[in-house]
Amino acid sequence: MLQSLGKSWREARNRLFHEYYDPRKTLEQNVDARSRGIDENDWRRFLRYRLRPDTKEKCSEPIEAAIHTHTGGSKSLARRIDEESRQQGRDVSRGEVWMMTHKKVDGSYIHEDAQTICEKIMDIEQRDESSRLLFQNDSLAQVLGKEHPGRVRGMGFGAIPSRLFGRNSQQTGGGAQAQETQRVVEELRAELTTEKLKRQALESEVASEKIKRQAMKNTLRYLIQKQGVNLLADIIAGMNSFERQS
């Protein structure tokens, strides 16, 4: 939602600039000709920003025009990705979606810059099929460059690098870390198994002692039954002591 609001705000600023700025007039004349409801100082700062050389260069870059102009219509990119994946029975790449949304109904490209970008994407994906997978250096990223913070091209609103590429980079680039984690897990499992065997051996030993003690008790009882009062006093005392310990 915030990204959608930001996009609408950027488009509104761009529209206001082209509607109310006249390059034939001075800065102050353009400030006076601003739209109603816009603060004078705010409009002056905005015009100064738009008239800076670096801003003009950024706004005139043909590749940016090729990126922002598309034939996707009102259908969201997320919905288009889902529909294409269902139709083709596989996950479509960001590069494929970008190419789909930069062609006309007759299959031709919307302009030469879009054709150049699409040809580069196709060439990369044909040479390296792994570039179709979603990661930081997939086919689209190799052609258009690094992602801007807060958005991911070709994935629609709500997709951000930290959620998509952060997870994938850990899966693809963290092989050594995953192996180390697996090694530690295996060691812990081995230690647990050893401790379990030790505990079972101890329990067996305790059970064996109980059997021996029971056998001794049975023997003493048998002697008492057979000899009664004639049993020596020291044997009786030893038996009582053994009973208490048991």
Side-chain angles (χ1 to χ4, degrees), residues 15-245:
R15 176 179 54 80
L16 288 171
F17 177 77
H18 290 289
E19 287 183 5
Y20 292 96
Y21 175 74
D22 187 347
R24 296 168 298 180
K25 296 180 180 180
T26 65
L27 176 63
E28 292 303 321
Q29 287 175 335
N30 277 291
V31 171
D32 294 336
R34 67 188 182 280
S35 175
R36 294 179 57 186
I38 297 180
D39 181 79
E40 178 181 344
N41 292 327
D42 290 343
W43 186 248
R44 181 181 287 104
R45 284 194 297 268
F46 174 65
L47 290 180
R48 286 174 177 170
Y49 164 75
R50 286 299 301 258
L51 295 175
R52 279 164 37 185
D54 58 335
T55 305
K56 288 182 179 180
E57 182 180 358
K58 185 185 300 183
C59 294
S60 63
E61 289 180 355
I63 191 170
E64 288 297 324
I67 292 173
H68 294 297
T69 304
H70 58 79
T71 59
S74 59
K75 183 183 295 186
S76 68
L77 289 175
R79 180 181 172 189
R80 181 178 293 275
I81 292 172
D82 181 67
E83 290 180 354
E84 289 295 334
S85 298
R86 290 175 181 271
Q87 182 177 351
Q88 299 189 29
R90 63 176 179 83
D91 292 335
V92 297
S93 67
R94 284 200 303 160
E96 290 177 285
V97 175
W98 200 96
M99 290 188 287
M100 293 174 193
T101 56
H102 287 77
K103 288 183 179 180
K104 300 178 182 178
V105 179
D106 60 1
S108 62
Y109 296 98
I110 57 177
H111 45 61
E112 292 183 1
D113 294 320
Q115 181 176 356
T116 301
I117 294 173
C118 289
E119 289 175 351
K120 290 181 179 179
I121 292 174
M122 286 189 291
D123 180 61
I124 291 173
E125 292 191 350
Q126 289 175 357
R127 287 187 289 103
D128 182 10
E129 292 188 358
S130 66
S131 66
R132 297 172 179 266
L133 302 176
L134 177 61
F135 67 108
Q136 288 175 309
N137 196 37
D138 60 7
S139 59
L140 188 64
Q142 291 182 44
V143 176
L144 299 184
K146 185 179 179 180
E147 297 291 340
H148 294 285
R151 67 176 175 85
V152 178
R153 289 173 300 223
M155 297 301 294
F157 289 120
I160 59 177
S162 60
R163 290 182 181 174
L164 292 178
F165 300 140
R167 181 174 62 252
N168 285 304
S169 63
Q170 290 174 2
Q171 292 175 350
T172 57
Q177 182 178 359
Q179 292 179 1
E180 177 64 17
T181 302
Q182 184 65 25
R183 184 186 65 79
V184 173
V185 169
E186 293 299 332
E187 289 181 356
L188 290 174
R189 285 178 178 172
E191 290 180 8
L192 183 61
T193 301
T194 302
E195 291 297 325
K196 186 177 180 180
L197 292 174
K198 289 181 179 179
R199 185 181 63 185
Q200 290 176 348
L202 181 60
E203 290 176 351
S204 256
E205 185 178 350
V206 171
S208 177
E209 287 295 327
K210 287 182 178 179
I211 293 173
K212 290 180 181 179
R213 290 185 179 185
Q214 187 62 41
M216 291 177 64
K217 287 169 63 178
N218 293 339
T219 301
L220 290 173
R221 284 174 181 163
Y222 174 79
L223 292 174
I224 293 173
Q225 291 175 357
K226 290 295 183 179
Q227 300 187 20
V229 295
N230 296 325
L231 190 63
L232 296 176
D234 56 347
I235 296 178
I236 296 175
M239 182 189 69
N240 292 335
S241 175
F242 182 80
E243 288 283 349
R244 287 194 299 272
Q245 290 179 1

